[in-house]
Amino acid sequence: QVQLVESGGGLVQAGGSLRLSCAASGSIFSIYTMGWYRQPPGSQRELVADITSGGTKNYADSVKGRFTISRDNAKNTVYLQMNSLKPEDTAVYYCKAGRHLNYWGQGTQVTVSS
């Protein structure tokens, strides 16, 4: 069982930056693939970026070059640094821990104004 708590969302102007954090507890954090997903209003949840236990990173094309995912296994935390934000990045952002089962956080709202 893994518990995930996201933080760092908020309102930002286009071109600005935010850093999301996801703190995990309840299991061995380092063995999980950690991912950030987002769900824009009226749309399906989509992958933003993920990072494996070995540190391999994967990004959605829409965020490549602007977003960076990282993890700190000593702090049981995964981060998403978001730069050059656009209004279309507006969504609820969710953290996921995956291995044999998937665990989700409660989400954090990111709103980018034009």
Side-chain angles (χ1 to χ4, degrees):
Q1 194 80 5
V2 179
Q3 294 79 45
L4 302 171
V5 178
E6 301 101 333
S7 61
L11 173 64
V12 64
Q13 288 189 330
S17 298
L18 284 174
R19 188 174 84 152
L20 305 183
S21 300
C22 173
S25 61
S27 188
I28 305 172
F29 175 79
S30 61
I31 67 174
Y32 288 88
T33 291
M34 300 300 299
W36 285 99
Y37 289 70
R38 66 187 181 188
Q39 187 164 14
S43 298
Q44 301 224 353
R45 196 173 296 188
E46 61 186 18
L47 173 69
V48 176
D50 61 21
I51 181 167
T52 68
S53 58
T56 301
K57 302 175 185 180
N58 175 51
Y59 295 94
D61 287 343
S62 59
V63 307
K64 282 180 181 176
R66 300 188 298 123
F67 291 10
T68 302
I69 190 170
S70 61
R71 66 191 297 163
D72 185 337
N73 291 337
K75 295 183 177 180
N76 287 359
T77 302
V78 62
Y79 304 97
L80 185 69
Q81 178 66 44
M82 305 186 294
N83 299 328
S84 302
L85 282 160
K86 304 175 181 180
E88 51 264 44
D89 295 317
T90 295
V92 178
Y93 283 70
Y94 296 90
C95 175
K96 187 187 88 169
R99 194 165 182 251
H100 303 300
L101 297 174
N102 292 326
Y103 301 93
W104 293 89
Q106 82 288 351
T108 185
Q109 176 70 47
V110 172
T111 303
V112 184
S113 63
S114 56

